[in-house]
Amino acid sequence: MAKRKSLADSVAAETKAKPVVAKDSTQSIEPVQSSPTPKSNVQKSRRGKQHFGGYFSKECVNAVKMLGLELDLNIQQMVAQAMNDYLEKHGKPPVFPVDN
């Protein structure tokens, strides 16, 4: 039966990196190679933004959706308007962009 390769030899062969040997030791040290930065799966329109929300009953969600249909607004537009109203109620300037 053939002798198996050591894990360090297998890794070195795969990465084509030469092991570094410490001066005062016979132990091999593998160099750390950084992997390329993965591409983001986030849509461009969502970059730099953060999601926040809550869990509500089906009745609450349906009421808001019906109002959105009546006003021809999507949920994000309605939440932005509501949050701006809430901030103003507490003496803060509105910061949510509202695009109608």
Side-chain angles (χ1 to χ4, degrees):
M1 191 150 96
K3 186 176 179 183
R4 294 172 65 175
K5 286 184 177 180
S6 73
L7 181 59
D9 291 339
S10 297
V11 170
E14 286 295 319
T15 59
K16 297 183 178 154
K18 295 181 180 177
V20 177
V21 179
K23 290 180 182 179
D24 60 342
S25 172
T26 58
Q27 182 180 9
S28 299
I29 302 172
E30 294 294 325
V32 177
Q33 295 181 352
S34 62
S35 59
T37 305
K39 290 189 176 183
S40 175
N41 292 334
V42 178
Q43 295 176 1
K44 287 182 181 179
S45 62
R46 293 185 180 177
R47 290 185 187 151
K49 297 179 182 175
Q50 187 174 356
H51 176 267
F52 77 97
Y55 290 93
F56 301 96
S57 70
K58 187 170 181 84
E59 293 81 16
C60 293
V61 173
N62 287 341
V64 172
K65 285 183 176 181
M66 290 300 293
L67 182 59
L69 288 171
E70 293 171 14
L71 299 174
D72 194 29
L73 296 172
N74 63 38
I75 298 289
Q76 187 161 333
Q77 292 168 322
M78 290 188 292
V79 168
Q81 287 181 6
M83 292 306 300
N84 282 334
D85 291 346
Y86 188 74
L87 288 170
E88 288 177 341
K89 174 183 173 183
H90 292 281
K92 306 291 182 188
V95 294
F96 288 81
V98 180
D99 48 308
N100 293 333

